[in-house]
Amino acid sequence: MDSIRELSIKELEKIIINLNEKKFRAKQIFQWIHQKGAEEFDEMTNLPNTLINKLKENYILRNMTVERISESDNDGTKKLLFKLSDDEVVETVVMQYKYGNSVCISTQVGCRMGCKFCASTIGGLKRNITVGEMLGQVYESNKYLQKNINHIVLMGSGEPLENLDEVIKFLKMINDPQGYYLSLRNITISTCGLVPQIRKLADENFQITLAISLHGARNETRNKLMPINRKYPIEELMKAVDYYIETTNRRITFEYAMIKDLNDSDEEANVLAKLLKGKLVHVNLIPINKVEENDFYPSDEKQIYKFKNILEKSGINVTIRRELGSDINAACGQLRNNYNLTKIEIIKKL
Ligand code: SAH
């Protein structure tokens, strides 16, 4: 059975009319699901019982169950493992910051981008995650952890721009005034650099933050790490970046995972500085997180600061990102769609 979480107000209206009910009920149902976080049809107390029964006959509401919650001893980061209706599993991470709570959601079960340093791509792509399942990850995390989530990052497993139609639906639904009504400015989408989709997203002119996983300033470096660079090399990517900034007037974040002796030389920093100088961008340097299956190690702290200084000398805005949740394999690139792979989790079975 389909989940009613997938449906926009317009889609609900069509269904409600087909069920011989009044159109305004669609808005009430939408508010219950997306604004009030209802998890059972019986909570919808302003609907007639006949309608509630019809909904129950045709739809499920909750489209996932929490299978496991892991909690970091270091920083309170929590990782939830959800089982979806077809028994696939995905991971979602909730992080606490000074300014609020942020949830990192997955957009695909697995990933086929093949980045050499990332755990999410090891088993390949299983399937796309639907809009209702993206929303479900936010709502269920909210409910379980009793957090008021006010930031969302699409940086879990998967490549969001490979699933762009659902991602666009997600942005519209999460921003709906009748629903969760989260400002698009509080949402970040991260991509490994799918050029046509970056342009398509630019044309939508959403006030989100776009993050681009760069990890190398030269094609030679990036080719070693990210197969996507052979399809869309750095020159193509930068043209799309310029188009994005021109169209949306939004600052782009570049993510740069610092890998010892691979992409962290002074020379690479100089090339990067030239590439980004004068553009409306921000660079996030992230010491790479360890993934068991590969041999990449984080750069020395001294080299990270040196790299940062070189960029700053060209007037580029740089931060070194504090990684949350690495003790529970909840940090960037450590998410998986497999139950048994991680060994060091602190597991709270529900
Ligand atoms: N597919 C999207 C979003 C998912 S990955 C993308 O590529 O951007 C989220 C971020 O984590 C990306 O910047 C990715 O390159 C980074 N990442 C992957 N593995 C990592 C690792 N082992 N350490 C640090 N960052 C990693």
Side-chain angles (χ1 to χ4, degrees):
M1 236 191 297
D2 292 335
S3 167
I4 199 160
R5 272 185 182 154
E6 304 287 340
L7 305 175
S8 65
I9 295 187
K10 286 245 142 45
E11 289 164 333
L12 279 170
E13 279 173 355
K14 274 189 211 145
I15 281 151
I16 291 300
I17 289 164
N18 281 341
L19 292 175
N20 286 326
E21 300 276 348
K22 300 244 162 45
K23 192 173 151 188
F24 76 93
R25 298 290 183 197
K27 200 186 265 183
Q28 289 179 319
I29 296 167
F30 191 88
Q31 285 170 337
W32 276 112
I33 300 168
H34 301 274
Q35 195 173 67
K36 301 178 193 161
E39 297 201 323
E40 306 286 343
F41 289 112
D42 288 326
E43 289 175 48
M44 303 182 182
T45 45
N46 57 359
L47 301 187
N49 276 335
T50 47
L51 175 55
I52 289 183
N53 287 335
K54 284 185 208 168
L55 293 176
K56 282 185 191 167
E57 277 164 29
N58 291 288
Y59 294 98
I60 53 164
L61 204 169
R62 295 186 71 189
N63 48 1
M64 57 186 66
T65 52
V66 180
E67 290 294 304
R68 192 158 80 185
I69 298 181
S70 326
E71 186 172 342
S72 164
D73 278 344
N74 302 341
D75 50 46
T77 296
K78 294 183 180 65
K79 181 167 78 170
L80 296 99
L81 180 83
F82 289 112
K83 190 195 258 183
L84 308 175
S85 320
D86 60 356
D87 287 349
E88 294 289 0
V89 291
V90 288
E91 292 187 317
T92 304
V93 180
V94 180
M95 294 153 287
Q96 299 167 20
Y97 293 98
K98 275 187 226 110
Y99 57 78
N101 296 297
S102 182
V103 65
C104 173
I105 65 169
S106 292
T107 55
Q108 294 182 314
V109 181
C111 183
R112 66 187 187 106
M113 293 295 109
C115 299
K116 297 284 189 284
F117 42 79
C118 182
S120 308
T121 197
I122 290 171
L125 174 69
K126 293 274 179 59
R127 69 167 172 85
N128 280 334
I129 286 178
T130 65
V131 57
E133 290 166 341
M134 291 181 213
L135 293 164
Q137 291 175 69
V138 179
Y139 303 160
E140 299 278 344
S141 303
N142 237 343
K143 200 92 176 183
Y144 265 91
L145 305 175
Q146 300 186 331
K147 296 275 184 217
N148 185 16
I149 286 169
N150 52 9
H151 276 80
I152 301 178
V153 296
L154 279 66
M155 274 196 194
S157 74
E159 170 47 50
L161 297 196
E162 257 218 320
N163 190 12
L164 185 56
D165 291 345
E166 290 296 298
V167 165
I168 288 175
K169 277 194 227 162
F170 169 78
L171 294 176
K172 290 181 177 163
M173 274 168 79
I174 200 87
N175 183 235
D176 193 309
Q178 304 298 329
Y180 198 81
Y181 200 21
L182 186 75
S183 164
L184 294 180
R185 288 176 178 272
N186 293 5
I187 299 179
T188 299
I189 298 184
S190 181
T191 178
C192 63
L194 303 186
V195 162
Q197 286 88 336
I198 291 173
R199 291 175 181 273
K200 190 170 170 203
L201 189 61
D203 292 335
E204 293 280 344
N205 216 344
F206 290 120
Q207 294 298 293
I208 54 160
T209 299
L210 180 66
I212 294 183
S213 304
L214 196 63
H215 311 322
R218 298 173 300 168
N219 285 323
E220 193 196 335
T221 313
R222 206 164 182 260
N223 282 345
K224 280 187 207 152
L225 298 171
M226 304 174 74
I228 195 69
N229 197 64
R230 295 184 188 273
K231 194 161 184 193
Y232 304 118
I234 291 177
E235 303 74 46
E236 295 295 311
L237 181 59
M238 292 315 290
K239 278 188 216 152
V241 161
D242 289 340
Y243 179 75
Y244 190 92
I245 295 171
E246 242 168 62
T247 314
T248 62
N249 212 14
R250 299 282 296 162
R251 185 173 80 164
I252 288 189
T253 299
F254 280 95
E255 289 162 289
Y256 200 101
M258 301 286 296
I259 310 173
K260 194 176 169 62
D261 299 332
L262 214 151
N263 63 0
D264 63 349
S265 66
D266 296 358
E267 191 195 347
E268 198 84 25
N270 281 312
V271 179
L272 186 59
K274 257 197 215 121
L275 197 66
L276 302 184
K277 195 176 170 144
K279 293 191 196 297
L280 185 61
V281 299
H282 176 99
V283 176
N284 247 328
L285 300 177
I286 311 144
I288 196 140
N289 296 304
K290 192 68 198 98
V291 169
E292 215 174 272
E293 289 85 345
N294 65 45
D295 278 328
F296 298 122
Y297 294 92
S299 307
D300 297 335
E301 205 177 319
K302 208 172 130 207
Q303 187 55 28
I304 298 179
Y305 279 96
K306 209 165 166 212
F307 201 93
K308 180 174 185 258
N309 280 339
I310 294 175
L311 296 178
E312 282 176 340
K313 274 199 197 114
S314 286
I316 298 163
N317 223 309
V318 189
T319 45
I320 298 174
R321 197 160 75 194
R322 191 170 59 106
E323 279 298 277
L324 298 177
S326 52
D327 60 327
I328 52 163
N329 280 346
C332 274
Q334 295 186 320
L335 300 189
R336 303 171 184 258
N337 57 320
N338 190 309
Y339 273 96
N340 302 316
L341 276 172
T342 50
K343 292 179 191 143
I344 52 161
E345 285 176 341
I346 306 141
I347 296 164
K348 277 192 196 162
K349 254 273 181 229
L350 286 183

